[in-house]
Amino acid sequence: MTYQETLDYLFNALPMFQRIGAAAFKKDLSNTIQLCDHLGNPQKKFKSIHVAGTNGKGSSSHAIAAVLHQAGYKVGLYTSPHLKSFTERVKINGQEIPEQAVVNFVADNKEFLEDLKPSFFEMTVGLAFDYFAKQKVDYAVVEVGMGGRLDSTNVLNPELCLITNIGLDHTQFLGETLAEIAGEKAGIIKEKIPVVISQNQPETFPVFKEQAMNRNAPIFFADQFYQVKQLGINNETLLCDYVVEKNGERSVIKMDLFGKYQEKNLPGILMAFEVLKEQGLKLDDEVIHKGLASAARASGLKGRFQKLQESPLVYCDTGHNVEGLSIVMEQIGEMYFDQLHIILGMVNDKDISKVLALLPKKAQYTFCQANIPRALPAEQLQQKAAEHGLKGDIVEDVNEALAISLKKANKKDLIFIGGSTFVVAEIENL
């Protein structure tokens, strides 16, 4: 098969959560274990860092991978979902897996895959681990897909676990409360393996503490060590400055990640490096600073409070739950503009009322929908938004919606595109 035929085969033959939702979710690790056994257990052939959380796990994974690469290590990075290309999910030193490697993996294992019938995600985890092992990476930074305890990535025995923010997302699978969701995320904590918690939340603290004690795992609540405040964009470097305070000492870290929510992620990232250095990782402050300054560029991260153009300003963000979008809205509230235009699309299997309740009523809205089965029809989104006093037009295609908003906006306006990862993924000039 060609690469395109291989992708079509995977998308059509294997259930894909991003497209169809619940029907693709499996509540056990048996398929992943069988697939890894078939592949010779590649996950045991490299060191790994396992990253879970509701918000921030993608940014944190990319930042850690960028710093390790800067330090001279060969670094695998596994993330999901992809925005533009399937190969974004599997990278080594910022380079996406070659299309031919995907073709070869499917061709070599097609008979087994057809017998096992794994989900799309399970297959992709097997592909990533197989590729990392064959390429002999020093470290792989592996982002959990959803939850943790039953996520396909949870066959790893990592050097370190990192858990970022806990929020109310995927509640139909993970639980209705922060404590229940934290219980699922805490499932990645392993016997005697250190775990870093980026953000200490009252509801989740006892859950993580208990699981760490049960596993004899050293636990570090990063924001008890590091306090981080975003200063804003430095006009000389065009990077974002963050003031970091630890033990009364202050320093400034520059990042090419501009979302205010990096204030929540950076303590966990920095604490992870401390723990890894204790384990013998060769890493100095200069390398950390250089790596973080090019975290997005070096690792290919997109869609995290990303500026698409000036005059009028256009930003997009993949945040799609209350915790993620509330910080984005707070950041937008601190910016200077005449009129705010919001292009909004969402998925159909989430309670969106809490998200709609936090969006500003004074903005001019355009309601769109991603081209996937899970997309909430723009007409339904418009109706639900109206119940919260949010008014606007329907333009289903996000790029058409952006073109219309650009014609309406003056040069001092701000256009924001968000509400769903899949809407952001369809922006043409991302």
Side-chain angles (χ1 to χ4, degrees):
M1 292 188 290
T2 64
Y3 175 66
Q4 190 55 53
E5 287 167 344
T6 301
L7 277 193
D8 292 343
Y9 166 77
L10 294 176
F11 289 152
N12 295 323
L14 305 177
M16 185 177 179
F17 180 81
Q18 280 93 295
R19 295 184 58 77
I20 64 174
F25 181 64
K26 294 185 182 173
K27 283 201 163 187
D28 68 75
L29 295 174
S30 58
N31 276 359
T32 309
I33 291 167
Q34 286 183 67
L35 179 54
C36 285
D37 281 346
H38 167 74
L39 296 170
N41 287 308
Q43 77 279 10
K44 295 180 179 177
K45 296 174 183 173
F46 49 82
K47 291 180 177 180
S48 59
I49 296 155
H50 203 191
V51 185
T54 304
N55 299 299
K57 62 182 186 288
S59 297
S60 298
S61 296
H62 282 79
I64 290 169
V67 170
L68 293 179
H69 179 199
Q70 181 70 41
Y73 293 97
K74 190 173 186 179
V75 187
L77 175 63
Y78 175 77
T79 57
S80 62
H82 62 270
L83 290 180
K84 292 294 184 186
S85 163
F86 171 77
T87 53
E88 290 170 33
R89 293 169 178 249
V90 183
K91 297 176 184 173
I92 294 177
N93 288 356
Q95 299 298 307
E96 295 175 18
I97 185 173
E99 293 178 357
Q100 191 58 47
V102 179
V103 172
N104 293 346
F105 177 84
V106 173
D108 292 345
N109 299 288
K110 191 161 178 273
E111 191 177 324
F112 182 83
L113 293 172
E114 287 177 353
D115 285 343
L116 184 65
K117 293 184 174 57
S119 71
F120 179 87
F121 188 82
E122 289 166 335
M123 185 286 305
T124 310
V125 168
L127 162 70
F129 291 172
D130 186 64
Y131 182 62
F132 294 156
K134 284 177 176 167
Q135 295 298 314
K136 296 183 168 56
V137 299
D138 299 310
Y139 282 89
V141 184
V142 177
E143 179 193 9
V144 167
M146 181 169 64
R149 181 174 65 93
L150 299 173
D151 188 76
S152 300
T153 61
N154 203 27
V155 295
L156 291 168
N157 190 40
E159 308 303 301
L160 169 74
C161 299
L162 171 65
I163 302 175
T164 60
N165 156 282
I166 304 299
L168 295 173
D169 202 3
H170 300 301
T171 52
Q172 71 271 46
F173 305 109
L174 305 178
E176 297 289 334
T177 67
L178 293 181
E180 287 175 337
I181 294 169
E184 291 297 316
K185 311 281 184 189
I188 72 165
I189 299 175
K190 305 291 190 306
E191 187 72 24
K192 296 183 179 175
I193 303 298
V195 57
V196 171
I197 311 297
S198 295
Q199 190 181 347
N200 187 4
Q201 298 163 267
E203 303 92 332
T204 64
F205 176 87
V207 179
F208 292 135
K209 194 80 178 168
E210 182 182 3
Q211 181 75 330
M213 284 177 64
N214 291 342
R215 297 277 185 271
N216 299 304
I219 187 166
F220 304 89
F221 290 90
D223 56 6
Q224 293 179 355
F225 296 85
Y226 291 94
Q227 290 76 48
V228 177
K229 182 75 178 165
Q230 186 188 67
L231 287 183
I233 295 174
N234 184 313
N235 290 327
E236 289 181 18
T237 63
L238 300 180
L239 298 171
C240 196
D241 286 349
Y242 296 85
V243 173
V244 178
E245 190 166 325
K246 186 192 178 203
N247 298 332
E249 291 186 12
R250 304 179 84 188
S251 61
V252 174
I253 284 181
K254 301 178 187 305
M255 295 180 79
D256 61 351
L257 293 168
F258 302 98
K260 191 174 175 63
Y261 43 72
Q262 302 304 340
E263 289 180 342
K264 313 281 188 192
N265 297 332
L266 200 45
I269 293 166
L270 295 173
M271 195 74 227
F273 294 141
E274 278 203 43
V275 175
L276 290 168
K277 283 198 282 189
E278 292 251 327
Q279 295 176 350
L281 184 83
K282 292 185 174 66
L283 204 58
D284 60 36
D285 287 349
E286 186 183 352
V287 166
I288 292 172
H289 283 249
K290 275 189 180 175
L292 291 176
S294 62
R297 187 164 40 86
S299 63
L301 181 62
K302 293 182 178 180
R304 277 30 172 224
F305 209 70
Q306 182 177 343
K307 185 199 283 189
L308 300 179
Q309 74 161 65
E310 294 262 10
S311 191
L313 270 173
V314 181
Y315 276 88
C316 69
D317 193 273
T318 54
H320 53 271
N321 52 43
V322 169
E323 288 77 12
L325 270 171
S326 62
I327 297 177
V328 171
M329 289 302 129
E330 182 188 335
Q331 186 162 7
I332 286 174
E334 294 171 358
M335 297 170 74
Y336 296 99
F337 50 82
D338 286 350
Q339 175 65 48
L340 175 61
H341 306 257
I342 294 182
I343 299 169
L344 190 70
M346 307 190 91
V347 292
N348 63 14
D349 53 5
K350 293 186 182 182
D351 177 10
I352 63 170
S353 58
K354 287 179 181 172
V355 170
L356 293 172
L358 61 83
L359 297 178
K361 292 177 174 54
K362 288 183 180 176
Q364 293 182 9
Y365 286 85
T366 306
F367 301 104
C368 66
Q369 65 188 70
N371 187 27
I372 57 167
R374 276 179 72 208
L376 179 65
E379 191 174 333
Q380 287 182 36
L381 179 56
Q382 183 192 46
Q383 290 166 1
K384 292 188 179 189
E387 294 169 12
H388 294 269
L390 313 178
K391 295 177 179 149
D393 302 324
I394 292 173
V395 182
E396 290 188 1
D397 178 78
V398 65
N399 293 295
E400 193 180 332
L402 177 56
I404 291 168
S405 295
L406 285 168
K407 283 180 185 172
K408 281 189 201 170
N410 75 40
K411 289 187 174 182
K412 292 184 178 176
D413 285 0
L414 171 62
I415 300 171
F416 174 75
I417 308 163
S420 163
T421 300
F422 308 106
V423 164
V424 172
E426 290 179 11
I427 299 170
E428 283 170 358
N429 66 335
L430 189 68

